[in-house]
Amino acid sequence: MKCVRCRGRAEVQLRAHNAAYCRPCFVFVFRRQVERAIDSEAMFSHGERLLIAVSGGKDSLALWDVLADLGHDTTGLYVGLGIGAYSELSHAKVVAFAERRGLPLRVVMLDEHADGLGVPTVAGRTRRPPCSACGTMKRHWFDAAAIEGGFDVLATGHNLDDEAARLLGNVIHWEMDHLARQRPVLAATHPRFVRKVKPLFLTSEYETAVYAFMRGIDYVVDECPNAAGATQLVYKDVLNRLEAASPGSKLAFVKEFQRTAQPAFAAAPRDTPHDCERCGMPAYGTLCAYCRLVDEVERKTAAHAGAPA
Ligand code: Q46
Ligand code: ZN
């Protein structure tokens, strides 16, 4: 198998793109693909300050690696979710990456924070699925850290597989509001929101894994222990089978949704957020989703403490 760019010996084959590359050409093409996604969606420009949400996994660290190498002003953000050994290991990988590259890193540890609420505590007390509690908490702390640090943009490592799985879930349940917001760039719709971007939205999980390997990025290989029960994985599995039978399906699904269907969903009138009465963050009711979650934890903790043994 030959590299389609230089005719040297290929190391990786990408069936969705009907192409194969040697190591240097793959790294070049991967970066160019990310750069094109940034430019074509007008995600951000040089000179803007980017906060990159990094979990310690391959996607977010590969993203940080690319954006730093492209000369952007990047700072990492690690939110410690308090999920036992997984969180400890992922924290260590992120710190080591930042140190090795000499890049600035901000860390928010949820269970050491004022509220003292890690994901397992919140999920346990509210009886919500861990990923639902986790999603609300991450969104809150990502926004809070971006505003506090005066960043222009928050970038996450969501890849093509994540976006395709999310799209499938949103379509199966016809989540009109979610479909209207499923964009690789979300403008700041509130003074305490920053622009959110997903520069890897057209880059497959396989490609980021290959990139991370070729670049020698040391990442957490194990998934979060809560991932196993997540519906997202079922959707990913279905999409992987579809992709094996018909290479390029995921890319077409996400790309064509963005090009043809998404604008129609986005055109429907939607509420604009106002200020949470307690913390000032964007809210669609009197309180934001995070403050409602914290209230629920407190209410259920108090009820539990008062219950007869
Ligand atoms: S970290 Fe959080 Fe994921 Fe773990 S609890 Fe679920 S959402 S699986 S990306
Ligand atoms: Zn609030």
Side-chain angles (χ1 to χ4, degrees):
M1 210 172 30
K2 284 194 173 147
C3 170
V4 297
R5 269 189 88 233
C6 74
R7 312 304 300 161
R9 193 177 65 82
E11 266 188 65
V12 54
Q13 187 185 13
L14 303 177
R15 288 180 68 210
H17 297 275
N18 197 18
Y21 298 102
C22 69
R23 193 172 288 216
C25 287
F26 176 79
V27 169
F28 172 84
V29 168
F30 184 93
R31 287 189 182 156
R32 193 180 57 187
Q33 182 171 294
V34 178
E35 229 177 335
R36 282 183 180 164
I38 294 167
D39 293 346
S40 69
E41 298 290 335
M43 292 187 183
F44 45 81
S45 45
H46 281 275
E48 287 196 292
R49 293 188 62 223
L50 316 181
L51 184 63
I52 324 284
V54 278
S55 64
K58 60 186 180 324
D59 304 299
S60 52
L61 289 181
L63 174 64
W64 197 5
D65 182 85
V66 173
L67 296 182
D69 276 6
L70 290 174
H72 289 286
D73 175 347
T74 63
T75 298
L77 168 65
Y78 175 77
V79 174
L81 304 169
I83 308 179
Y86 165 75
S87 285
E88 279 165 31
L89 185 62
S90 56
H91 183 204
K93 300 278 185 194
V94 169
V95 169
F97 179 89
E99 278 175 2
R100 200 166 51 240
R101 299 290 308 262
L103 294 167
L105 174 68
R106 296 168 81 93
V107 174
V108 179
M109 293 303 230
L110 293 192
D111 43 13
E112 289 168 15
H113 202 270
D115 297 322
L117 297 175
V119 167
T121 314
V122 174
R125 295 201 191 150
T126 59
R127 299 185 183 236
R128 289 191 194 208
C131 296
S132 142
C134 183
T136 303
M137 295 169 78
K138 277 197 285 204
R139 275 192 292 278
H140 175 82
W141 291 110
F142 286 176
D143 279 317
I147 289 292
E148 194 192 296
F151 291 92
D152 299 299
V153 179
L154 175 83
T156 55
H158 293 101
N159 59 37
L160 176 65
D161 296 59
D162 299 323
E163 289 305 294
R166 187 162 159 224
L167 180 55
L168 183 60
N170 285 341
V171 166
I172 285 177
H173 299 287
W174 290 114
E175 297 278 9
M176 305 300 277
D177 229 40
H178 294 183
L179 288 162
R181 275 194 295 243
Q182 186 166 352
R183 296 269 308 120
V185 187
L186 280 181
T189 51
H190 183 279
R192 292 184 70 82
F193 265 160
V194 297
R195 192 182 328 134
K196 300 201 179 75
V197 301
K198 298 173 187 172
L200 303 182
F201 82 112
L202 297 179
T203 304
S204 73
E205 194 172 317
Y206 176 70
E207 289 166 80
T208 58
V210 172
Y211 179 82
F213 170 76
M214 287 182 172
R215 293 280 298 151
I217 296 173
D218 184 19
Y219 60 88
V220 212
V221 178
D222 287 339
E223 293 244 28
C224 165
N226 296 318
T231 332
Q232 244 348 49
L233 282 194
V234 180
Y235 296 144
K236 282 192 175 176
D237 184 45
V238 169
L239 287 159
N240 283 339
R241 278 190 263 167
L242 187 62
E243 183 73 22
S246 171
S249 299
K250 281 182 213 170
L251 191 58
F253 186 41
V254 170
K255 225 175 165 174
E256 285 309 300
F257 166 70
Q258 291 301 342
R259 199 177 67 83
T260 58
Q262 206 282 335
F265 288 105
R270 280 187 299 133
D271 292 347
T272 44
H274 44 265
D275 303 349
C276 169
E277 280 187 359
R278 188 174 306 156
C279 73
M281 294 298 274
Y284 289 90
T286 28
L287 296 183
C288 71
Y290 178 77
C291 288
R292 275 187 277 129
L293 184 65
V294 172
D295 268 6
E296 194 183 332
V297 172
E298 283 169 1
R299 241 186 1 258
K300 292 192 173 159
T301 308
H304 188 74

Coordinates of all heavy atoms in Angstrom, one line a residue, residues 16-17 59 157-166 200-205 207-208 236 239 243 248-255:
A16 N -12.9 5.7 4.7 CA -13.9 6.7 4.4 C -13.4 7.7 3.4 O -14.2 8.4 2.7 CB -14.3 7.4 5.7
H17 N -12.1 7.9 3.4 CA -11.5 8.9 2.4 C -10.9 8.2 1.2 O -10.3 8.9 0.4 CB -10.5 9.8 3.1 CG -11.0 10.6 4.3 ND1 -11.6 11.8 4.1 CD2 -11.1 10.3 5.6 CE1 -12.0 12.3 5.3 NE2 -11.7 11.4 6.2
D59 N -8.7 12.3 22.1 CA -9.3 13.4 21.3 C -8.9 14.7 21.8 O -8.4 15.6 21.0 CB -10.8 13.2 21.2 CG -11.2 11.8 20.7 OD1 -10.8 11.5 19.6 OD2 -11.9 11.1 21.5
G157 N -13.0 18.4 22.4 CA -12.5 17.3 21.5 C -13.5 16.4 20.9 O -13.1 15.3 20.4
H158 N -14.8 16.8 20.8 CA -15.8 15.9 20.2 C -15.4 15.6 18.8 O -15.2 16.5 18.0 CB -17.2 16.6 20.2 CG -17.7 16.8 21.6 ND1 -17.7 18.0 22.3 CD2 -18.3 15.9 22.4 CE1 -18.2 17.9 23.4 NE2 -18.6 16.6 23.6
N159 N -15.4 14.3 18.5 CA -15.0 13.9 17.1 C -16.2 13.5 16.3 O -17.3 13.6 16.7 CB -14.0 12.8 17.2 CG -14.5 11.5 17.9 OD1 -15.7 11.2 17.8 ND2 -13.7 10.9 18.7
L160 N -15.9 13.0 15.1 CA -17.0 12.7 14.1 C -17.9 11.6 14.7 O -19.1 11.6 14.6 CB -16.4 12.2 12.8 CG -17.4 11.6 11.8 CD1 -18.3 12.7 11.3 CD2 -16.6 11.1 10.6
D161 N -17.3 10.6 15.4 CA -18.1 9.5 16.0 C -19.0 10.0 17.1 O -20.2 9.6 17.2 CB -17.1 8.4 16.5 CG -16.3 7.7 15.4 OD1 -15.6 8.5 14.8 OD2 -16.4 6.5 15.3
D162 N -18.5 10.9 17.9 CA -19.3 11.5 18.9 C -20.5 12.3 18.3 O -21.7 12.2 18.7 CB -18.6 12.5 19.8 CG -17.4 11.9 20.5 OD1 -17.5 10.7 20.9 OD2 -16.3 12.6 20.6
E163 N -20.2 13.1 17.3 CA -21.2 13.9 16.7 C -22.3 13.0 15.9 O -23.5 13.3 16.0 CB -20.6 14.9 15.7 CG -19.8 16.0 16.4 CD -20.7 16.7 17.4 OE1 -21.6 17.4 17.0 OE2 -20.4 16.6 18.6
A164 N -21.8 12.0 15.3 CA -22.7 11.1 14.6 C -23.7 10.4 15.6 O -24.9 10.2 15.3 CB -22.0 10.1 13.7
A165 N -23.1 9.9 16.7 CA -23.9 9.2 17.7 C -24.9 10.2 18.3 O -26.1 9.8 18.5 CB -23.0 8.6 18.8
R166 N -24.5 11.4 18.6 CA -25.4 12.4 19.2 C -26.5 12.7 18.2 O -27.7 12.8 18.6 CB -24.5 13.6 19.5 CG -25.3 14.6 20.3 CD -24.4 15.6 20.9 NE -25.2 16.8 21.2 CZ -24.7 18.0 21.0 NH1 -23.5 18.2 20.6 NH2 -25.5 19.0 21.3
L200 N -12.8 19.1 15.8 CA -12.6 17.7 15.3 C -13.9 17.1 14.8 O -14.0 15.8 14.6 CB -12.0 16.8 16.4 CG -10.7 17.2 17.0 CD1 -10.3 16.2 18.1 CD2 -9.6 17.4 16.0
F201 N -15.0 17.9 14.6 CA -16.3 17.3 14.3 C -16.3 16.5 13.0 O -17.2 15.7 12.8 CB -17.4 18.4 14.3 CG -17.5 19.2 13.0 CD1 -18.7 19.0 12.3 CD2 -16.6 20.1 12.7 CE1 -18.9 19.8 11.1 CE2 -16.7 20.8 11.5 CZ -17.9 20.7 10.7
L202 N -15.3 16.6 12.1 CA -15.3 15.8 10.9 C -14.2 14.8 10.9 O -13.9 14.2 9.9 CB -15.2 16.7 9.6 CG -16.4 17.7 9.4 CD1 -16.1 18.5 8.2 CD2 -17.7 16.9 9.2
T203 N -13.5 14.7 12.1 CA -12.4 13.8 12.2 C -12.8 12.6 13.0 O -13.3 12.7 14.1 CB -11.2 14.6 12.9 OG1 -11.0 15.7 12.2 CG2 -10.0 13.7 13.1
S204 N -12.6 11.4 12.4 CA -13.1 10.2 13.1 C -12.2 9.8 14.3 O -11.0 10.2 14.4 CB -13.1 9.0 12.1 OG -11.7 8.6 11.9
E205 N -12.8 9.0 15.2 CA -12.1 8.6 16.4 C -10.9 7.8 16.0 O -9.8 7.9 16.6 CB -13.1 7.7 17.2 CG -12.7 7.4 18.6 CD -13.8 6.7 19.3 OE1 -15.0 7.1 19.2 OE2 -13.4 5.7 20.0
E207 N -9.0 8.2 13.3 CA -8.0 9.2 12.9 C -7.3 9.8 14.1 O -6.1 10.0 14.1 CB -8.6 10.2 12.0 CG -9.0 9.7 10.6 CD -9.9 10.7 9.8 OE1 -9.3 11.6 9.3 OE2 -11.1 10.5 9.9
T208 N -8.1 10.2 15.1 CA -7.5 10.9 16.3 C -6.6 9.9 17.0 O -5.5 10.2 17.6 CB -8.5 11.5 17.3 OG1 -9.4 10.6 17.7 CG2 -9.2 12.7 16.7
K236 N -23.0 4.3 18.8 CA -21.7 4.2 18.2 C -21.5 2.9 17.5 O -21.0 2.7 16.4 CB -20.6 4.5 19.2 CG -20.4 6.0 19.5 CD -19.1 6.2 20.2 CE -18.9 7.7 20.4 NZ -17.8 8.1 21.2
L239 N -23.5 2.7 14.3 CA -22.9 3.5 13.3 C -21.6 2.8 12.8 O -21.3 2.9 11.6 CB -22.6 4.9 13.8 CG -23.8 5.8 14.0 CD1 -23.6 6.9 14.9 CD2 -24.3 6.3 12.6
E243 N -20.8 1.9 9.0 CA -19.5 2.4 8.4 C -18.8 1.2 7.8 O -18.2 1.4 6.7 CB -18.7 3.1 9.5 CG -17.4 3.7 9.0 CD -17.6 5.0 8.2 OE1 -18.7 5.6 8.3 OE2 -16.7 5.3 7.4
G248 N -17.7 5.8 4.9 CA -18.0 7.2 4.6 C -19.4 7.6 5.1 O -19.8 8.8 5.0
S249 N -20.1 6.6 5.6 CA -21.5 6.9 6.1 C -21.6 8.0 7.2 O -22.4 8.9 7.2 CB -22.2 5.7 6.6 OG -22.3 4.7 5.6
K250 N -20.7 7.8 8.2 CA -20.7 8.7 9.3 C -20.4 10.1 8.8 O -21.1 11.1 9.3 CB -19.6 8.3 10.3 CG -19.9 7.2 11.2 CD -18.8 7.0 12.2 CE -18.6 5.5 12.5 NZ -17.4 5.2 13.2
L251 N -19.4 10.3 8.0 CA -19.0 11.6 7.5 C -20.2 12.2 6.7 O -20.5 13.4 6.9 CB -17.8 11.4 6.6 CG -17.1 12.7 6.2 CD1 -16.6 13.5 7.4 CD2 -15.9 12.4 5.3
A252 N -20.8 11.4 5.9 CA -22.0 12.0 5.1 C -23.1 12.4 6.0 O -23.7 13.4 5.8 CB -22.4 10.9 4.1
F253 N -23.4 11.5 7.0 CA -24.5 11.8 8.0 C -24.3 13.1 8.6 O -25.2 14.0 8.6 CB -24.5 10.6 9.0 CG -25.6 10.6 9.9 CD1 -26.9 10.9 9.5 CD2 -25.4 10.2 11.3 CE1 -28.0 10.9 10.5 CE2 -26.5 10.2 12.2 CZ -27.8 10.5 11.8
V254 N -23.1 13.3 9.2 CA -22.9 14.6 10.0 C -22.7 15.8 9.0 O -23.3 16.8 9.3 CB -21.6 14.4 10.9 CG1 -21.2 15.7 11.5 CG2 -21.9 13.4 11.9
K255 N -22.0 15.6 8.0 CA -21.7 16.7 7.1 C -23.0 17.2 6.4 O -23.2 18.4 6.3 CB -20.7 16.2 6.0 CG -19.6 17.2 5.7 CD -18.6 16.6 4.7 CE -17.7 17.7 4.2 NZ -16.7 17.1 3.3

